[in-house]
Amino acid sequence: MGFGERLAVGGEAKGGGKPPMDSGTKARLIGALVLVIAALATTGLSVGWIWTKADAVTPVALPSGNQAPIETVSPSVQPSETPTPVGKVLGTEMVAANNDSMPIMSSAWTNYSDETGLWGGAAIWFTVHNNYDGKGAKWGNVTSFGQLPPDIPYKNTAAGLKEATVQVGSRAIIGLYTKDVKVLPGTTHKAITVGGHPGHELVAKVAVSQPGVKETFSTVMVAVIDRGDGTAAVSIADIAGSTPAWQKVWRSKVSQIEINK
C-alpha cells in the first residue's frame, strides 16, 4: 500500500513525522527530477545558442532616430537640352535628320543654311544675280528639304495636309523675307502623291522690291508629304521670277523623294 493509501485509513507515521517512502516512490521522484533538470539544461543551452548566433549575424546597430537626413547629392554635370536635329547635303542628295532623302536640283546648286524653318532639314542655293549691288551681294534660288516642325499641328487627311502646307509655307516666306512681305494674288493648291504617299502642294508669289535687283516677284513652292506614321516630309523652293524653268525641276525632284521606313 502506498503513502496516500495509509493516510486514508487513519495510519500515522512513527514519532509524528512523515511516513517513510517506499523504494518505488523514491525511484519515481528521482526519475522525474532528472527529467526536469535535463529539460532546463537543454532549454538554457538552446536559448544561449540562439542569441550567440544572432549576435554573430547581426553586428550592425540600428541608426538612432535623431540623426540628420541624408543630403541629396547633385550630379557634377547637368544634362544638356537635346539639340534640334539637322539634315545634310550628301553627294547628290539632301538627307533629312530622319534619313528621308530628296535629290538636289543639279550640281550647280551648293550647300546652304536652311532659312525656311524645317525640322531636321538641309538646303541648297543657286545664284541668279551675283554682286547685284556692287558690294558682293547675291540674289538667288533656295530649295530645302526636311520634316514638318513638331509645333505645327498635323492630321494625315486631305484637309490636314492642306492646313499644314499653309502653316509651314507662311513660316518659310517670313523666314526668307520678312513678316511684312506682300503675297501676290493667285496662290494655288493641289493634291499630289509621292511614292504612294498622299501630299499637298502650295504655290505662291511674293513681291520683290530690292534695289539693284530687276526681279519683281519670286515663286515660293511648298510640298508636304504624309510619311504614314503621323509625321510629314516637306520640301520648299523659292524660285526667282526670271528663272521659272527651275519650278519644273523642283517638281521632278519632289516626285523622287524617298521616305525612310
Side-chain angles (χ1 to χ4, degrees):
M1 181 180 294
F3 174 64
E5 291 173 326
R6 286 200 300 273
L7 289 178
V9 295
E12 187 175 3
K14 184 179 177 180
K18 293 181 180 179
M21 288 187 285
D22 60 19
S23 59
T25 300
K26 289 181 180 179
R28 286 194 296 272
L29 288 175
I30 293 172
L33 183 60
V34 170
L35 292 174
V36 170
I37 293 173
L40 290 174
T42 302
T43 301
L45 288 173
S46 298
V47 172
W49 179 87
I50 291 172
W51 285 111
T52 301
K53 290 296 182 183
D55 290 341
V57 299
T58 57
V60 181
L62 294 176
S64 61
N66 60 358
Q67 288 186 346
I70 298 175
E71 296 183 1
T72 301
V73 180
S74 300
S76 58
V77 179
Q78 296 293 333
S80 59
E81 294 184 3
T82 302
T84 302
V86 295
K88 298 178 180 179
V89 178
L90 299 176
T92 60
E93 304 280 334
M94 284 185 286
V95 182
N98 63 352
N99 290 326
D100 289 350
S101 63
M102 173 181 172
I104 63 174
M105 300 284 277
S106 82
S107 59
W109 292 61
T110 58
N111 198 352
Y112 186 68
S113 176
D114 180 30
E115 296 177 354
T116 62
L118 296 186
W119 185 257
I124 51 178
W125 166 273
F126 177 81
T127 300
V128 177
H129 302 291
N130 190 34
N131 193 25
Y132 66 85
D133 62 352
K135 299 178 181 179
K138 298 180 180 180
W139 184 277
N141 298 339
V142 175
T143 296
S144 62
F145 176 69
Q147 293 175 262
L148 186 71
D151 61 332
I152 293 180
Y154 175 68
K155 292 183 179 179
N156 58 346
T157 63
L161 280 163
K162 181 177 180 179
E163 180 60 25
T165 306
V166 171
Q167 293 294 325
V168 73
S170 298
R171 182 176 297 187
I173 289 173
I174 293 173
L176 291 168
Y177 296 91
T178 70
K179 64 181 180 62
D180 299 320
V181 66
K182 181 180 180 181
V183 178
L184 301 174
T187 298
T188 63
H189 293 269
K190 73 174 182 179
I192 60 174
T193 302
V194 176
H197 295 262
H200 190 87
E201 180 192 279
L202 175 153
V203 179
K205 291 182 178 181
V206 299
V208 173
S209 179
Q210 180 70 30
V213 175
K214 297 180 180 180
E215 305 286 344
T216 58
F217 71 92
S218 190
T219 303
V220 176
M221 311 175 75
V222 183
V224 174
I225 304 156
D226 179 61
R227 300 186 72 254
D229 63 353
T231 64
V234 182
S235 180
I236 298 172
D238 180 16
I239 309 297
S242 62
T243 61
W246 286 113
Q247 296 181 29
K248 184 177 180 179
V249 176
W250 177 79
R251 285 193 171 102
S252 174
K253 303 302 181 180
V254 167
S255 70
Q256 300 173 58
I257 288 174
E258 294 188 2
I259 303 298
N260 177 49
K261 297 182 179 179

